[in-house]
């Protein structure tokens, strides 16, 4: 699975990206994860299966869905804040499965 993380500037999702990569490696998920700021998602979304947005930019979720045609959802605030990789992967899997 290829997950694109989007936040305001890409900084907070970069921290989350590292946690998700570690979780993916430890659980042999083989996920590819990239973090970008809101201004950059349109340049790279074509290479991804799902877009997960930070809570601080979730108000732009419909716009991102329309622009990309990919499954998009906001990461719940608590999971985002604590870097709950298991829950975030569950969300990504659910979105990809629903959109097949």
């Amino acid at each position: 699975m290829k997950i694109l993380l989007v936040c305001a500037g890409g900084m907070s999702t970069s921290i989350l990206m590292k946690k998700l990569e570690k979780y993916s490696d430890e659980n042999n998920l083989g996920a590819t994860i990239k973090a970008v700021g809101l201004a950059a998602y349109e340049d790279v979304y074509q290479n991804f299966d799902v877009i997960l947005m930070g809570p601080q930019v979730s108000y732009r979720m419909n716009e991102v869905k329309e622009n990309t045609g990919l499954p998009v959802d906001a990461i719940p605030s608590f999971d985002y804040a604590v870097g709950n990789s298991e829950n975030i992967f569950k969300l990504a899997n659910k979105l990809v499965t629903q959109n097949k």
Side-chain angles (χ1 to χ4, degrees):
M1 180 185 328
K2 296 177 182 175
I3 302 170
L4 182 61
L5 302 173
V6 178
C7 74
M11 295 304 288
S12 58
T13 50
S14 291
I15 296 164
L16 180 60
M17 178 184 74
K18 292 190 185 333
K19 288 184 177 186
L20 292 173
E21 287 173 335
K22 182 178 182 208
Y23 182 86
S24 175
D25 291 345
E26 290 172 351
N27 292 279
N28 298 313
L29 300 177
T32 300
I33 304 149
K34 181 174 177 76
V36 297
L38 197 52
Y41 79 90
E42 289 185 85
D43 297 331
V44 297
Y45 78 88
Q46 301 87 346
N47 301 320
F48 293 88
D49 302 315
V50 62
I51 298 174
L52 297 179
M53 300 183 68
Q56 71 275 35
V57 293
S58 61
Y59 68 96
R60 304 267 305 265
M61 199 165 55
N62 288 333
E63 170 194 334
V64 173
K65 279 182 189 177
E66 288 174 18
N67 290 342
T68 65
L70 291 175
V72 179
D73 205 349
I75 300 169
S77 296
F78 182 77
D79 290 336
Y80 188 86
V82 300
N84 187 330
S85 299
E86 183 178 356
N87 283 353
I88 293 168
F89 268 102
K90 284 180 184 175
L91 174 61
N93 279 321
K94 183 179 96 176
L95 291 168
V96 170
T97 302
Q98 286 175 347
N99 285 278
K100 284 191 175 181

